């Protein structure tokens, strides 16, 4: 990973145009080819970015200090460096991935074993389906044979929807799987996460942990 802190301006040219005026910013260039520009007040969310596959060209001569990032659609991210304050590269190696807590891991195991919880006719492809940015919890097919990627959380929040969105972007590049739709599954899904998921065409599934384990609800019932 390459970390660059620089005073720079940024221009995006593609389906729309956007301009970030000159300011100190952090630029991340990752091994997968992605480039993202960060400020100091946005938590993890970048100001602008280019997802892989893309190419980075650093200008020389009269174009020195100008970085041009181009993706496969021909969209451009142009970073004009005014002053470089820090520039370093670090080899992070292969990430072992997120280790889920006991409940999330068990939910994944239970849902894989009871995949029909998602709907009649669902069939499991595999658990922990590998991608370049980490494993998808469950990959399965619906009753129509379409591919479905499932992200499982104990408590469903916005970051989980973002994570599933990134998986879907990668999976839909694979012609053997595409089109792939997503399902965000959790014991509890926060309203903001549900709104974001719905906006992105991602389904939401609330999981009843006890019911999936075969434990009857001990509340009194009028039947």
């Amino acid at each position: 990973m390459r970390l660059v802190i620089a005073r720079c301006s940024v221009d995006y040219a593609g389906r729309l145009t956007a301009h970030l005026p000159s300011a100190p910013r952090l630029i991340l260039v990752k091994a997968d080819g992605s480039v993202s520009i960060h400020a100091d007040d946005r938590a993890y969310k970048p100001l602008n970015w280019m997802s892989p596959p893309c190419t980075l060209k650093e200008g020389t001569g009269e174009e020195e200090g100008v970085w041009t990032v181009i993706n496969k659609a021909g969209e451009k991210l142009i970073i004009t460096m005014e002053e470089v304050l820090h520039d370093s590269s670090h080899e992070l190696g292969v990430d072992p991935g997120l280790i889920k807590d006991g409940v999330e891991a068990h939910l994944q195991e239970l849902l894989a074993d009871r995949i029909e919880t998602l709907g009649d006719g669902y069939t499991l492809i595999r658990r922990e389906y590998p991608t370049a940015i980490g494993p998808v919890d469950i990959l399965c097919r619906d009753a129509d044979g379409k591919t479905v990627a499932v992200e499982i959380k104990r408590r469903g929040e916005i970051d989980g929807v973002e994570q599933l969105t990134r998986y879907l972007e990668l999976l839909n590049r694979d012609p053997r799987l595409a089109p792939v739709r997503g399902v965000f599954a959790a014991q509890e899904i926060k309203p903001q996460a549900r709104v974001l998921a719905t906006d992105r065409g991602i389904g939401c599934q609330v999981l009843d942990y006890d019911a999936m384990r075969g434990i009857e609800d001990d509340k009194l019932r009028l039947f």
Side-chain angles (χ1 to χ4, degrees):
M1 177 183 292
R2 184 178 178 186
L3 308 176
V4 178
I5 299 175
R7 177 172 291 277
C8 63
S9 60
V10 184
D11 292 278
Y12 171 81
R15 289 164 292 181
L16 48 82
T17 59
H19 174 71
L20 294 173
S22 176
R25 298 187 175 95
L26 168 65
I27 303 166
L28 297 182
V29 182
K30 294 187 178 181
D32 64 2
S34 63
V35 178
S36 56
I37 297 100
H38 298 259
D40 204 17
D41 63 347
R42 297 292 186 94
Y44 63 89
K45 189 176 179 65
L47 296 166
N48 215 327
W49 68 94
M50 195 70 83
S51 300
C54 57
T55 58
L56 167 61
K57 179 182 177 182
E58 297 184 43
T60 58
E62 294 183 358
E63 294 294 318
E64 186 174 1
V66 177
W67 290 14
T68 303
V69 187
I70 305 175
N71 67 12
K72 64 178 182 179
E75 298 167 317
K76 293 182 179 180
L77 195 63
I78 301 170
I79 308 168
T80 304
M81 307 286 190
E82 297 172 14
E83 181 184 8
V84 177
L85 305 172
H86 175 86
D87 188 346
S88 63
S89 297
H90 307 270
E91 180 58 55
L92 302 186
V94 178
D95 191 88
L98 178 69
I99 299 175
K100 294 180 177 291
D101 67 25
V103 173
E104 285 186 15
H106 199 201
L107 278 170
Q108 183 192 115
E109 181 182 348
L110 287 170
L111 186 56
D113 188 53
R114 298 164 175 78
I115 199 67
E116 67 279 358
T117 301
L118 298 175
D120 293 337
Y122 274 70
T123 56
L124 179 69
I125 296 176
R126 68 167 289 177
R127 293 171 53 194
E128 299 288 331
Y129 187 88
T131 76
I133 58 173
V136 177
D137 286 338
I138 289 178
L139 199 68
C140 57
R141 296 193 188 280
D142 63 18
D144 297 323
K146 301 293 181 61
T147 311
V148 181
V150 185
E151 178 63 26
I152 299 171
K153 300 293 183 186
R154 182 167 55 85
R155 183 168 55 192
E157 301 189 70
I158 283 177
D159 58 349
V161 179
E162 295 283 6
Q163 183 180 359
L164 179 54
T165 300
R166 292 192 292 272
Y167 288 144
L168 290 171
E169 183 180 349
L170 282 178
L171 293 170
N172 273 302
R173 295 177 190 167
D174 188 340
R176 298 170 300 173
L177 301 174
V180 185
R181 64 180 179 87
V183 171
F184 188 49
Q187 288 180 280
E188 173 193 3
I189 299 177
K190 296 294 186 179
Q192 300 94 328
R194 186 179 291 274
V195 169
L196 181 60
T198 301
D199 182 67
R200 296 184 176 180
I202 294 172
C204 291
Q205 178 80 36
V206 175
L207 301 176
D208 187 327
Y209 186 54
D210 288 340
M212 291 172 67
R213 289 193 298 164
I215 299 176
E216 289 291 336
D217 188 345
D218 60 2
K219 295 178 183 178
L220 292 175
R221 297 177 180 174
L222 298 177
F223 59 86

